[in-house]
């Protein structure tokens, strides 16, 4: 029980009233203090104060004639307050208790005679009154020789009891003033703390930057408790440059103070063993949406007595709210930034329908958007039979082929699931050429889907561990959707162009495509040759075998033409049963060999057997400008001459090259 409870305290309103009355009646500013008193409600708690007053009274000057007297003190119920008399003397206990009982009943001094060891003693019980209501709150007991009592000792003892009363009230006033001073100091401290808390709150809420909020709360706690060692463990998705902000450990002991604070969301203490000289405190940093981290304080045990956990808890709660607000503000800015970047990426991707351009645009934007050290885009190549590194800023890996079931890129491609790795070295997963070659630690990867089908993978890497957050992980998946849509559009556009430039029956290029290609080549090449191929007496084939068989013959001849030319040569359907072949940068003599190869193969490989006639025309940079129309006209005239001269032959623009083979339809 505290001293405050022991001796009681007046209601504050009464105290103010007493003060006002005292100030009106006396000039002494301390007069109100002399009017303070204890009341009957305080008596059960006054034992300690009576004991201290008795000790003070005995330590002061005692008349020489009274030094041999024995003294004791009892409370308002006649119970011993100072047991030293009982323990030291062991005499007259029952007599003094009886005298005290009568004293309490009568309200006056009561004396009894006692005889022991041939000595006559008088035992006196003297009531001690309150100074305002005159209530007995203690009884002072005294044992003196009977002759001294008869010689005036009674009055001396009564006077000494009044001195005891004075000592009691001196002690009472001292404790009362000390209590008031303590209350005042406590009020000042609370006011100072409220002011400090207000300043901390104001500074934290003035900051809308997450790192600034964390720095402010760390500095504030360090300033309040300079002897404490302080760290802040934050969740993995937040990185701070502050040296005291560290990532939250993935594994904690079950009884760890930080683990308990983070899990329970409440202040946690760990005092250690009795011989430990430090105390650990865990303060959760949380808001309405959850706990984001935990403060870890280590203090010396003597310093811990001055630590106010409720105040620290309020600071941590305020910091958590400010952190959450700053995080929400940061998140809103991030969403705006993501929308802007998504819009810019989409616009740039839509600037071109060429697949190579789209991958290059995506590669450049992703590197800048995520601040990654490395980016690698894998795309399935049916021709090469694997995932091709179509874009990569680590040059040794560019255009490399990755097996679909190997490495992290292959895993993302085959599983169709995104991947987030914070520490590659300690993850214990499949190896990655990108991570190994670049020495990276952090990785985010996502499948590249086109039209609902996984066609590749996008990988972003950074040399620092824990570099990419979950927000980055989620954003990459969103960006991959835009890239996949652009790739799908490019593939669809390429397919539409392919279909528009191809003859549906033969698979050869259409005539308009051939016209455009010749015009374009004439602006860059120094020569070229056009071969017009016509199936001899094709109408007779249709009439004899039917149109379905005629289409089959046309397909057979087309396949022979495609397989008889170079990769860069262009074969097209001229119209009907006429085909055309353009040979870039080849002269007429080389074209004759190509035409003859086609003529001979057609005659020997078709079923039913047919023959073809060929007309050849060339152009070169030394000629006057030759239009595409004139080139076709000259080749067509050569073909007409071949038809008129017996078919199954090759004619060069007014020059004839006859074949020894006979035309079966002649």
């Amino acid at each position: 029980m505290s001293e405050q409870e022991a001796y009681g305290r007046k209601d504050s309103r009464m105290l103010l009233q007493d003060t006002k009355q005292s100030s009106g009646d006396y000039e002494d500013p301390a007069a109100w203090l002399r009017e303070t008193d204890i009341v009957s409600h305080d008596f059960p708690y006054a034992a300690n104060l009576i004991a201290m007053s008795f000790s003070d009274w005995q330590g002061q000057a005692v008349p020489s004639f009274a030094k041999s007297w024995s003294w004791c003190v009892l409370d308002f119920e006649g119970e011993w307050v100072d047991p030293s008399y009982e323990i030291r003397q062991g005499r007259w206990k029952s007599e003094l208790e009886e005298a005290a009982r009568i004293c309490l009943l009568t309200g006056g001094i009561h004396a009894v005679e006692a005889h022991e060891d041939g000595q006559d003693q008088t035992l006196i019980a003297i009531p001690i009154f309150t100074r305002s209501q005159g209530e007995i709150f203690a009884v002072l007991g005294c044992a003196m020789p009977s002759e001294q009592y008869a010689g005036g000792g009674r009055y001396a003892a009564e006077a000494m009891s009044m001195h005891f009363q004075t000592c009691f009230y001196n002690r009472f006033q001292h404790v009362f003033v000390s209590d008031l001073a303590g209350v005042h100091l406590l009020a000042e401290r609370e006011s100072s703390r409220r002011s400090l808390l207000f300043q901390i709150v104001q500074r934290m809420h003035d900051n809308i930057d997450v790192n600034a909020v964390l720095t402010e709360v760390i500095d504030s706690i360090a300033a309040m408790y300079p002897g404490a060692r302080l760290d802040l463990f934050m969740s993995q998705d937040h990185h701070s440059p502050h040296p005291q902000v560290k990532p939250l450990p993935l594994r904690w002991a079950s009884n760890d103070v930080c683990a308990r604070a983070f899990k329970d969301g409440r202040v946690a203490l760990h005092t250690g063993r009795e011989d430990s000289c430090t105390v650990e405190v865990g303060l959760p940093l949380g808001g309405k949406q959850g706990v984001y981290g935990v403060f870890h304080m280590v203090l010396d045990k003597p310093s811990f007595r001055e630590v106010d956990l409720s105040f620290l808890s309020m600071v941590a709660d305020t910091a958590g709210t400010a952190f959450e607000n700053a995080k929400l503000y940061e998140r809103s800015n991030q969403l705006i930034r993501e929308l802007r970047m998504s819009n810019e990426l989409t616009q740039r991707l839509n600037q071109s329908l060429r697949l190579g351009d789209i991958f290059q645009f995506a590669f450049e934007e992703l590197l800048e958007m995520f601040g990654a050290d490395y980016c690698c885009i894998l795309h399935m190549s049916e021709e090469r039979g694997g995932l091709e590194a179509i874009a990569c800023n680590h040059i040794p890996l560019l255009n490399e082929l990755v097996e679909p079931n190997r490495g992290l890129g292959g895993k993302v491609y085959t599983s169709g699931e995104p991947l987030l790795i914070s520490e590659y070295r300690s993850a214990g997963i499949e190896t990655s050429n990108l991570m190994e070659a670049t020495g990276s630690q952090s990785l985010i990867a996502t499948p590249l889907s086109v039209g609902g089908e996984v066609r590749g993978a996008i990988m972003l890497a950074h040399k620092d561990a824990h570099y990419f957050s979950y927000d980055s992980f989620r954003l990459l998946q969103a960006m991959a959707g835009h890239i996949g849509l652009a790739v799908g559009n490019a593939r669809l556009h390429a397919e539409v162009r392919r279909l528009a430039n191809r003859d549906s029956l033969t698979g050869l290029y259409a005539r308009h495509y051939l016209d455009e290609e010749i015009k374009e080549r004439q602006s860059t090449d120094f020569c070229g040759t056009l071969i017009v191929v016509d199936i001899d007496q094709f109408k007779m084939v249709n009439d004899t075998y039917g149109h379905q068989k005629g289409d089959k013959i046309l397909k057979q001849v087309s396949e022979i033409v495609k397989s008889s030319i170079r990769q860069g040569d262009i074969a097209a359907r001229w119209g009907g049963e006429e085909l055309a072949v353009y040979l870039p940068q080849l002269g007429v003599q080389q074209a004759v060999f190509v035409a003859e190869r086609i003529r001979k193969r057609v005659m020997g490989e078709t079923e039913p057997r047919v023959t073809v006639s060929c007309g050849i025309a060339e152009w070169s940079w030394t000629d006057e400008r030759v239009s595409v129309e004139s080139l076709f006209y000259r080749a067509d005239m050569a073909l007409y001459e071949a038809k008129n001269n017996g078919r199954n032959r090759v004619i060069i623009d007014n020059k004839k090259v006859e074949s020894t083979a006979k035309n079966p339809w002649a």
Side-chain angles (χ1 to χ4, degrees), residues 200-216 238 319 321-334:
I200 294 173
V201 170
Q202 187 176 34
R203 288 197 300 268
M204 282 193 292
H205 285 285
D206 284 345
N207 288 314
I208 55 176
D209 178 73
V210 174
N211 290 325
V213 170
L214 297 181
T215 300
E216 176 62 38
H238 180 77
T321 302
F323 176 84
E324 191 171 70
N325 292 338
K327 199 73 175 175
L328 290 174
Y329 178 79
E330 182 184 80
R331 180 61 183 147
S332 64
N333 285 340
Q334 185 177 357

Side-chain angles (χ1 to χ4, degrees), residues 62 96 167 208 456 480 637:
V62 178
L96 278 173
C167 290
I208 55 176
M637 288 299 100

Side-chain angles (χ1 to χ4, degrees), residues 644-664:
N644 289 336
N645 286 278
R647 301 182 181 88
N648 192 21
R649 62 193 62 216
V650 176
I651 298 297
I652 305 173
D653 194 15
N654 295 328
K655 295 180 182 180
K656 181 169 57 176
V657 179
E658 297 187 4
S659 172
T660 58
K662 299 296 184 180
N663 187 347

Side-chain angles (χ1 to χ4, degrees), residues 590-644:
Q590 292 95 334
V592 169
F593 290 112
V594 176
E596 278 294 321
R597 181 165 57 245
I598 294 173
R599 186 188 65 80
K600 291 177 181 179
R601 287 186 61 190
V602 169
M603 187 172 57
E605 298 177 15
T606 53
E607 178 61 34
R609 192 169 67 129
V610 296
T611 60
V612 294
S613 298
C614 302
I616 301 176
E618 69 171 343
W619 70 272
S620 71
W621 64 277
T622 58
D623 300 334
E624 293 183 4
R625 180 170 181 79
V626 179
S627 65
V628 176
E629 292 78 9
S630 64
L631 186 64
F632 271 105
Y633 177 78
R634 287 164 49 199
D636 199 37
M637 288 299 100
L639 175 64
Y640 181 75
E641 185 178 350
K643 292 284 189 180
N644 289 336

Side-chain angles (χ1 to χ4, degrees), residues 103-304:
C103 175
L104 290 170
L105 288 175
T106 62
I109 300 175
H110 183 74
V112 296
E113 297 293 330
H115 303 278
E116 187 172 309
D117 298 333
Q119 295 181 355
D120 294 331
Q121 295 284 327
T122 302
L123 309 180
I124 310 173
I126 307 172
I128 309 299
F129 300 98
T130 62
R131 57 189 179 188
S132 59
Q133 300 296 326
E135 298 175 292
I136 301 175
F137 65 87
V139 174
L140 190 66
C142 177
M144 64 176 68
S146 298
E147 63 272 14
Q148 291 185 4
Y149 176 80
R154 176 184 184 279
Y155 303 106
E158 187 176 359
M160 293 178 69
S161 70
M162 297 178 64
H163 183 214
F164 170 76
Q165 182 191 43
T166 302
C167 290
F168 173 82
Y169 278 105
N170 285 342
R171 171 64 70 168
F172 171 76
Q173 291 170 3
H174 172 76
V175 174
F176 186 78
V177 171
S178 298
D179 180 57
L180 289 179
V183 171
H184 179 70
L185 290 175
L186 182 62
E188 284 188 347
R189 184 181 177 187
E190 288 295 326
S191 175
S192 175
R193 289 198 308 174
R194 284 195 297 270
S195 175
L196 180 60
L197 182 61
F198 175 76
Q199 294 174 19
I200 294 173
V201 170
Q202 187 176 34
R203 288 197 300 268
M204 282 193 292
H205 285 285
D206 284 345
N207 288 314
I208 55 176
D209 178 73
V210 174
N211 290 325
V213 170
L214 297 181
T215 300
E216 176 62 38
V217 67
I218 289 173
D219 293 345
S220 299
I221 296 178
M224 288 186 291
Y225 305 103
R229 297 188 295 278
L230 179 66
D231 290 305
L232 174 58
F233 295 100
M234 294 296 296
S235 57
Q236 300 289 339
D237 61 345
H238 180 77
H239 302 276
S240 173
H242 199 287
Q244 290 173 270
V245 179
K246 303 173 181 178
L248 204 66
L250 297 177
R251 294 179 180 86
W252 257 327
S254 58
N255 61 342
D256 190 282
V257 65
C258 294
R260 287 189 282 118
F262 187 79
K263 178 181 177 181
D264 301 336
R266 298 193 300 268
V267 178
L269 283 177
H270 180 67
T271 56
R273 298 178 303 180
E274 293 184 1
D275 57 349
S276 176
C277 59
T278 59
V279 176
E280 292 184 74
V281 182
L283 295 169
L285 176 69
K288 294 182 179 180
Q289 298 184 6
V291 179
Y292 305 100
V294 58
F295 290 97
H296 182 220
M297 293 180 65
V298 180
L299 309 100
D300 296 332
K301 283 190 175 180
S303 303
F304 178 70

